[in-house]
Amino acid sequence: MKQICFLSLFFFLVFNFYDSVLAADLFISKYPETPKEGEEVTLTLESSTYNLNKANIEWSVNGKIVDSGVGRKTLTERTPLGGSKVVRVNITEEGQESINAETTIIANTSYIFYEGADSYVPAFYKGRRLPAQEGLVRAAVFEIDNGNVSKNNSGKNYSWKINGQDSKESSGFGKTLNTLKGNIIDKSLSLKIKIEPDGLLAKLTDVFILLQKVEAIIYKTDEKNLVQNAVGQTENGREMYMSVEPYFFSVQNKRDNYLTYSWKINDNPVNITSPWFLKLSNKEKEITRIVLNIFQKNKLTQENDVGFTFKSN
Protein backbone atom coordinates (compact mmCIF):
# COMPACT_ATOMS: atom_id res chain seq x y z
CA MET A 1 0.00 0.00 0.00
CA LYS A 2 2.84 2.37 0.87
CA GLN A 3 4.52 1.54 -2.46
CA ILE A 4 1.33 2.44 -4.38
CA CYS A 5 1.02 5.77 -2.55
CA PHE A 6 4.70 6.54 -3.17
CA LEU A 7 4.39 5.75 -6.91
CA SER A 8 1.25 7.87 -7.21
CA LEU A 9 2.98 10.81 -5.54
CA PHE A 10 6.06 10.30 -7.74
CA PHE A 11 4.10 10.34 -11.02
CA PHE A 12 2.02 13.33 -9.84
CA LEU A 13 5.18 15.36 -9.16
CA VAL A 14 6.86 14.25 -12.40
CA PHE A 15 3.89 15.20 -14.61
CA ASN A 16 3.38 18.54 -12.85
CA PHE A 17 7.09 19.27 -13.13
CA TYR A 18 6.94 18.39 -16.84
CA ASP A 19 3.98 20.76 -17.39
CA SER A 20 5.83 23.54 -15.57
CA VAL A 21 8.90 23.01 -17.76
CA LEU A 22 6.74 23.16 -20.89
CA ALA A 23 5.04 26.37 -19.75
CA ALA A 24 8.34 27.95 -18.81
CA ASP A 25 9.89 26.96 -22.15
CA LEU A 26 7.34 28.94 -24.16
CA PHE A 27 8.21 32.63 -24.37
CA ILE A 28 7.81 35.67 -26.62
CA SER A 29 10.79 37.71 -27.79
CA LYS A 30 10.44 41.33 -28.95
CA TYR A 31 12.40 43.35 -31.44
CA PRO A 32 13.25 46.10 -30.80
CA GLU A 33 13.20 45.51 -27.07
CA THR A 34 12.84 49.22 -26.25
CA PRO A 35 10.65 50.67 -29.02
CA LYS A 36 9.52 54.27 -29.28
CA GLU A 37 5.89 55.36 -29.42
CA GLY A 38 4.18 54.25 -32.62
CA GLU A 39 7.10 52.03 -33.65
CA GLU A 40 6.50 48.55 -35.08
CA VAL A 41 7.50 45.67 -32.82
CA THR A 42 8.02 42.13 -34.10
CA LEU A 43 6.99 39.49 -31.58
CA THR A 44 8.31 35.98 -32.08
CA LEU A 45 7.13 32.90 -30.22
CA GLU A 46 10.01 30.60 -29.25
CA SER A 47 10.32 27.17 -27.67
CA SER A 48 12.80 24.31 -27.56
CA THR A 49 10.13 21.81 -26.47
CA TYR A 50 7.17 22.43 -28.77
CA ASN A 51 7.11 22.01 -32.53
CA LEU A 52 5.71 25.44 -33.25
CA ASN A 53 5.66 24.85 -37.00
CA LYS A 54 2.88 22.28 -36.53
CA ALA A 55 1.12 23.81 -33.54
CA ASN A 56 -2.04 25.90 -33.81
CA ILE A 57 -1.10 29.38 -32.56
CA GLU A 58 -3.55 32.09 -31.55
CA TRP A 59 -2.50 35.69 -30.84
CA SER A 60 -4.59 38.21 -28.93
CA VAL A 61 -3.92 41.86 -28.07
CA ASN A 62 -5.70 43.35 -25.06
CA GLY A 63 -8.10 40.38 -25.08
CA LYS A 64 -8.97 40.61 -28.81
CA ILE A 65 -7.85 37.84 -31.19
CA VAL A 66 -5.79 39.39 -33.98
CA ASP A 67 -4.22 36.35 -35.70
CA SER A 68 -4.37 32.56 -35.61
CA GLY A 69 -3.27 29.52 -37.60
CA VAL A 70 -0.81 26.67 -37.77
CA GLY A 71 2.81 27.78 -37.41
CA ARG A 72 1.94 31.49 -36.95
CA LYS A 73 5.03 32.18 -34.82
CA THR A 74 5.35 35.94 -35.43
CA LEU A 75 3.15 38.97 -34.99
CA THR A 76 3.81 42.66 -35.74
CA GLU A 77 2.24 45.32 -33.54
CA ARG A 78 2.79 49.05 -33.10
CA THR A 79 3.50 50.43 -29.68
CA PRO A 80 0.67 52.59 -28.31
CA LEU A 81 0.89 56.36 -27.95
CA GLY A 82 0.98 56.16 -24.18
CA GLY A 83 -0.14 53.17 -22.15
CA SER A 84 0.61 49.57 -23.03
CA LYS A 85 -0.61 46.53 -24.93
CA VAL A 86 -0.90 43.07 -23.41
CA VAL A 87 -0.08 40.38 -25.97
CA ARG A 88 -1.13 36.82 -25.21
CA VAL A 89 -0.47 33.72 -27.28
CA ASN A 90 -2.09 30.28 -26.94
CA ILE A 91 -0.71 27.19 -28.65
CA THR A 92 -2.29 23.80 -29.05
CA GLU A 93 -0.55 20.65 -30.27
CA GLU A 94 -2.53 17.60 -31.27
CA GLY A 95 -3.36 15.56 -28.21
CA GLN A 96 -1.98 18.21 -25.83
CA GLU A 97 -3.62 20.80 -23.61
CA SER A 98 -3.41 24.46 -24.55
CA ILE A 99 -0.34 26.34 -23.27
CA ASN A 100 -0.02 30.12 -23.21
CA ALA A 101 2.54 32.87 -22.84
CA GLU A 102 2.13 36.59 -22.30
CA THR A 103 4.12 39.81 -22.71
CA THR A 104 3.49 43.54 -22.55
CA ILE A 105 4.43 46.14 -25.16
CA ILE A 106 5.36 49.48 -23.63
CA ALA A 107 6.82 52.40 -25.53
CA ASN A 108 10.04 53.44 -23.83
CA THR A 109 10.66 56.92 -25.19
CA SER A 110 13.53 59.25 -24.49
CA TYR A 111 13.64 62.97 -25.08
CA ILE A 112 16.12 65.83 -24.74
CA PHE A 113 14.86 69.06 -23.23
CA TYR A 114 16.98 72.18 -23.63
CA GLU A 115 16.85 75.87 -22.80
CA GLY A 116 19.10 78.90 -22.57
CA ALA A 117 20.70 78.57 -19.16
CA ASP A 118 21.69 82.25 -19.07
CA SER A 119 19.15 83.72 -21.53
CA TYR A 120 17.27 86.77 -20.29
CA VAL A 121 13.56 87.09 -21.06
CA PRO A 122 11.08 89.63 -19.65
CA ALA A 123 8.64 88.61 -16.94
CA PHE A 124 5.66 88.52 -19.32
CA TYR A 125 7.39 86.09 -21.70
CA LYS A 126 5.64 82.70 -21.62
CA GLY A 127 7.79 80.55 -23.89
CA ARG A 128 10.99 78.60 -23.49
CA ARG A 129 14.23 80.49 -22.79
CA LEU A 130 15.87 79.95 -26.14
CA PRO A 131 19.67 79.68 -26.15
CA ALA A 132 21.66 82.26 -28.10
CA GLN A 133 24.99 81.99 -29.88
CA GLU A 134 27.81 82.23 -27.30
CA GLY A 135 25.28 81.55 -24.54
CA LEU A 136 24.95 78.63 -22.18
CA VAL A 137 22.67 75.73 -23.12
CA ARG A 138 21.19 73.54 -20.41
CA ALA A 139 20.21 70.07 -21.69
CA ALA A 140 18.51 67.20 -19.90
CA VAL A 141 17.54 63.76 -21.15
CA PHE A 142 14.53 62.00 -19.71
CA GLU A 143 12.58 58.88 -20.54
CA ILE A 144 8.86 58.24 -20.68
CA ASP A 145 7.96 54.78 -19.49
CA ASN A 146 4.31 53.83 -19.78
CA GLY A 147 3.22 57.45 -19.74
CA ASN A 148 5.35 58.45 -16.74
CA VAL A 149 8.76 60.11 -16.44
CA SER A 150 11.26 57.41 -15.47
CA LYS A 151 13.27 58.22 -12.34
CA ASN A 152 15.44 55.11 -12.44
CA ASN A 153 18.56 56.69 -13.97
CA SER A 154 21.39 55.71 -11.63
CA GLY A 155 21.93 52.28 -13.23
CA LYS A 156 22.04 53.62 -16.79
CA ASN A 157 25.09 54.84 -18.66
CA TYR A 158 24.63 58.03 -20.67
CA SER A 159 27.12 58.70 -23.47
CA TRP A 160 26.93 62.26 -24.82
CA LYS A 161 28.07 63.41 -28.27
CA ILE A 162 28.25 67.15 -29.01
CA ASN A 163 28.53 68.14 -32.67
CA GLY A 164 29.70 64.61 -33.47
CA GLN A 165 32.42 64.52 -30.80
CA ASP A 166 32.37 62.29 -27.72
CA SER A 167 32.04 64.29 -24.51
CA LYS A 168 33.71 62.12 -21.87
CA GLU A 169 33.38 64.69 -19.10
CA SER A 170 29.61 64.78 -19.64
CA SER A 171 29.15 61.01 -19.94
CA GLY A 172 28.72 58.35 -17.28
CA PHE A 173 26.21 56.56 -15.10
CA GLY A 174 23.22 58.69 -14.16
CA LYS A 175 24.51 61.73 -16.08
CA THR A 176 21.24 63.02 -17.50
CA LEU A 177 22.13 66.73 -17.23
CA ASN A 178 24.63 68.78 -19.19
CA THR A 179 25.49 72.47 -19.58
CA LEU A 180 27.12 73.47 -22.86
CA LYS A 181 28.72 76.73 -23.92
CA GLY A 182 28.25 78.12 -27.41
CA ASN A 183 30.96 79.93 -29.37
CA ILE A 184 31.25 82.67 -31.97
CA ILE A 185 31.37 80.21 -34.88
CA ASP A 186 28.66 77.59 -34.38
CA LYS A 187 25.10 78.73 -34.97
CA SER A 188 23.69 75.37 -33.92
CA LEU A 189 24.38 72.39 -31.68
CA SER A 190 23.84 68.70 -32.38
CA LEU A 191 23.35 66.47 -29.35
CA LYS A 192 23.26 62.68 -29.44
CA ILE A 193 22.87 60.56 -26.34
CA LYS A 194 23.27 56.81 -26.08
CA ILE A 195 21.41 55.32 -23.12
CA GLU A 196 22.53 51.88 -21.98
CA PRO A 197 20.15 50.39 -19.41
CA ASP A 198 21.57 47.48 -17.43
CA GLY A 199 20.94 44.26 -19.33
CA LEU A 200 18.84 45.89 -22.09
CA LEU A 201 19.47 47.10 -25.62
CA ALA A 202 20.94 50.59 -25.88
CA LYS A 203 18.65 53.46 -26.87
CA LEU A 204 19.64 56.48 -28.92
CA THR A 205 18.10 59.94 -28.87
CA ASP A 206 19.21 63.17 -30.49
CA VAL A 207 18.22 66.79 -30.99
CA PHE A 208 19.32 69.64 -33.26
CA ILE A 209 19.43 73.00 -31.48
CA LEU A 210 19.34 76.17 -33.54
CA LEU A 211 21.00 78.92 -31.54
CA GLN A 212 18.75 81.94 -31.44
CA LYS A 213 19.51 85.44 -32.69
CA VAL A 214 19.07 87.93 -29.84
CA GLU A 215 15.99 90.12 -30.17
CA ALA A 216 14.42 93.24 -28.67
CA ILE A 217 11.00 94.92 -28.71
CA ILE A 218 9.95 98.52 -28.06
CA TYR A 219 6.52 99.35 -26.67
CA LYS A 220 4.62 102.23 -25.09
CA THR A 221 4.96 101.90 -21.34
CA ASP A 222 1.35 102.84 -20.57
CA GLU A 223 -0.41 100.68 -23.12
CA LYS A 224 2.18 98.00 -23.95
CA ASN A 225 1.33 98.32 -27.66
CA LEU A 226 4.16 96.93 -29.76
CA VAL A 227 5.38 99.42 -32.35
CA GLN A 228 8.44 97.59 -33.65
CA ASN A 229 8.65 98.07 -37.45
CA ALA A 230 5.33 99.91 -37.42
CA VAL A 231 4.04 103.48 -37.76
CA GLY A 232 2.84 105.11 -34.54
CA GLN A 233 1.76 108.62 -33.54
CA THR A 234 2.60 110.79 -30.55
CA GLU A 235 -0.37 111.81 -28.47
CA ASN A 236 -1.57 115.41 -28.79
CA GLY A 237 0.23 117.76 -26.42
CA ARG A 238 1.66 114.97 -24.29
CA GLU A 239 4.98 113.22 -23.92
CA MET A 240 5.24 109.56 -24.73
CA TYR A 241 7.54 107.05 -23.04
CA MET A 242 8.91 104.07 -24.89
CA SER A 243 10.36 101.04 -23.15
CA VAL A 244 12.67 98.36 -24.50
CA GLU A 245 12.85 94.67 -23.61
CA PRO A 246 15.77 92.51 -24.81
CA TYR A 247 15.36 88.78 -25.40
CA PHE A 248 17.87 85.92 -25.11
CA PHE A 249 20.92 88.02 -24.25
CA SER A 250 23.26 86.30 -21.77
CA VAL A 251 22.48 88.63 -18.88
CA GLN A 252 20.48 88.52 -15.65
CA ASN A 253 18.32 91.57 -16.41
CA LYS A 254 18.00 94.40 -18.92
CA ARG A 255 19.94 96.77 -16.66
CA ASP A 256 23.01 94.55 -16.69
CA ASN A 257 26.27 96.48 -17.07
CA TYR A 258 27.30 94.31 -19.99
CA LEU A 259 24.42 95.65 -22.12
CA THR A 260 24.86 98.91 -24.03
CA TYR A 261 21.87 100.81 -25.48
CA SER A 262 22.56 103.24 -28.32
CA TRP A 263 19.57 105.36 -29.41
CA LYS A 264 19.29 107.45 -32.56
CA ILE A 265 16.48 109.84 -33.48
CA ASN A 266 16.50 110.91 -37.14
CA ASP A 267 20.02 109.42 -37.37
CA ASN A 268 21.25 111.61 -34.50
CA PRO A 269 22.69 109.88 -31.40
CA VAL A 270 20.80 110.55 -28.15
CA ASN A 271 22.29 110.31 -24.66
CA ILE A 272 19.80 108.98 -22.14
CA THR A 273 20.31 108.54 -18.39
CA SER A 274 18.13 105.40 -18.26
CA PRO A 275 18.76 103.88 -21.70
CA TRP A 276 16.01 101.26 -21.44
CA PHE A 277 13.45 104.14 -21.55
CA LEU A 278 13.01 106.84 -24.19
CA LYS A 279 10.91 109.99 -23.76
CA LEU A 280 9.38 111.45 -26.93
CA SER A 281 7.86 114.92 -27.21
CA ASN A 282 5.24 116.27 -29.59
CA LYS A 283 7.46 119.01 -31.01
CA GLU A 284 8.55 117.35 -34.21
CA LYS A 285 6.22 117.78 -37.20
CA GLU A 286 8.06 115.59 -39.69
CA ILE A 287 8.18 111.80 -39.83
CA THR A 288 10.60 110.61 -37.15
CA ARG A 289 12.74 107.50 -37.33
CA ILE A 290 13.98 105.95 -34.09
CA VAL A 291 16.61 103.21 -34.01
CA LEU A 292 18.02 101.37 -31.02
CA ASN A 293 21.16 99.24 -31.07
CA ILE A 294 21.65 96.80 -28.19
CA PHE A 295 25.02 95.16 -27.81
CA GLN A 296 26.43 92.84 -25.15
CA LYS A 297 30.03 93.89 -24.54
CA ASN A 298 31.37 90.44 -23.62
CA LYS A 299 29.64 88.59 -26.50
CA LEU A 300 30.67 89.37 -30.07
CA THR A 301 27.57 87.84 -31.66
CA GLN A 302 24.90 89.15 -29.30
CA GLU A 303 23.76 92.38 -30.97
CA ASN A 304 20.43 93.59 -32.31
CA ASP A 305 18.98 96.68 -34.03
CA VAL A 306 15.35 97.58 -33.56
CA GLY A 307 13.52 100.63 -34.84
CA PHE A 308 10.23 102.23 -35.77
CA THR A 309 8.79 105.31 -37.47
CA PHE A 310 6.14 107.64 -36.08
CA LYS A 311 4.46 110.84 -37.26
CA SER A 312 3.49 113.68 -34.94
CA ASN A 313 -0.04 115.06 -35.00
Side-chain angles (χ1 to χ4, degrees):
M1 185 66 179
K2 288 182 180 180
Q3 279 187 323
I4 295 175
C5 290
F6 175 78
L7 289 173
S8 299
L9 179 61
F10 173 78
F11 285 115
F12 174 80
L13 292 174
V14 166
F15 284 120
N16 275 274
F17 174 76
Y18 182 70
D19 286 342
S20 298
V21 169
L22 291 180
D25 184 55
L26 186 67
F27 63 95
I28 304 170
S29 65
K30 293 178 286 187
Y31 182 82
E33 291 189 6
T34 55
K36 294 184 179 295
E37 288 183 320
E39 186 176 2
E40 283 192 343
V41 180
T42 299
L43 301 109
T44 304
L45 189 63
E46 299 181 25
S47 175
S48 59
T49 304
Y50 291 99
N51 185 353
L52 298 178
N53 293 320
K54 294 184 178 180
N56 186 62
I57 302 173
E58 180 184 88
W59 295 88
S60 63
V61 178
N62 291 342
K64 181 181 179 180
I65 297 174
V66 295
D67 193 18
S68 63
V70 176
R72 307 286 287 184
K73 295 184 291 184
T74 62
L75 179 73
T76 300
E77 276 289 319
R78 287 192 180 275
T79 57
L81 302 178
S84 60
K85 289 182 178 180
V86 178
V87 179
R88 186 181 179 89
V89 61
N90 286 280
I91 76 163
T92 306
E93 281 190 306
E94 187 176 351
Q96 301 288 336
E97 291 187 3
S98 176
I99 300 294
N100 61 72
E102 187 176 285
T103 190
T104 303
I105 301 176
I106 301 175
N108 293 310
T109 56
S110 55
Y111 300 92
I112 300 174
F113 173 83
Y114 67 90
E115 65 174 356
D118 58 354
S119 293
Y120 169 77
V121 292
F124 52 78
Y125 179 74
K126 300 300 182 184
R128 185 195 337 217
R129 294 174 182 265
L130 297 176
Q133 194 173 356
E134 291 188 83
L136 295 177
V137 181
R138 181 185 295 115
V141 59
F142 62 95
E143 298 173 79
I144 302 296
D145 187 356
N146 197 17
N148 299 309
V149 176
S150 175
K151 297 181 180 179
N152 184 24
N153 302 319
S154 59
K156 299 175 184 177
N157 187 46
Y158 295 83
S159 301
W160 291 71
K161 273 192 175 184
I162 303 170
N163 289 342
Q165 301 296 318
D166 291 330
S167 178
K168 293 182 179 180
E169 64 275 10
S170 303
S171 303
F173 283 92
K175 288 197 173 183
T176 59
L177 302 176
N178 202 348
T179 301
L180 319 167
K181 191 178 188 323
N183 55 53
I184 64 173
I185 299 175
D186 295 326
K187 295 182 179 180
S188 62
L189 284 174
S190 172
L191 301 183
K192 291 187 178 182
I193 304 173
K194 183 179 181 181
I195 307 171
E196 297 174 286
D198 186 24
L200 298 174
L201 291 178
K203 293 183 286 182
L204 296 173
T205 187
D206 56 23
V207 67
F208 178 81
I209 302 173
L210 183 64
L211 299 177
Q212 182 72 19
K213 187 182 186 304
V214 292
E215 301 286 351
I217 61 170
I218 302 175
Y219 58 87
K220 293 170 66 174
T221 57
D222 53 349
E223 297 177 9
K224 301 286 175 68
N225 292 325
L226 299 181
V227 291
Q228 180 182 3
N229 301 322
V231 176
Q233 290 186 335
T234 57
E235 301 174 71
N236 251 338
R238 291 195 295 172
E239 295 176 333
M240 184 169 62
Y241 289 88
M242 309 305 295
S243 181
V244 60
E245 284 290 354
Y247 284 73
F248 315 129
F249 286 85
S250 299
V251 293
Q252 293 185 351
N253 57 68
K254 68 180 182 180
R255 302 185 183 191
D256 195 291
N257 291 331
Y258 281 114
L259 286 183
T260 61
Y261 297 79
S262 301
W263 293 89
K264 285 185 178 181
I265 297 180
N266 290 344
D267 296 325
N268 297 315
V270 179
N271 293 320
I272 304 173
T273 304
S274 300
W276 44 89
F277 290 106
L278 176 66
K279 183 173 71 172
L280 302 175
S281 68
N282 196 26
K283 296 178 181 178
E284 301 291 341
K285 297 300 181 184
E286 70 274 12
I287 293 177
T288 303
R289 176 71 178 165
I290 296 177
V291 175
L292 168 65
N293 172 272
I294 306 179
F295 176 64
Q296 184 164 337
K297 290 183 285 188
N298 62 337
K299 306 287 183 183
L300 294 178
T301 61
Q302 295 193 12
E303 183 175 11
N304 181 265
D305 290 319
V306 59
F308 68 95
T309 302
F310 76 90
K311 183 178 181 181
S312 302
N313 289 330

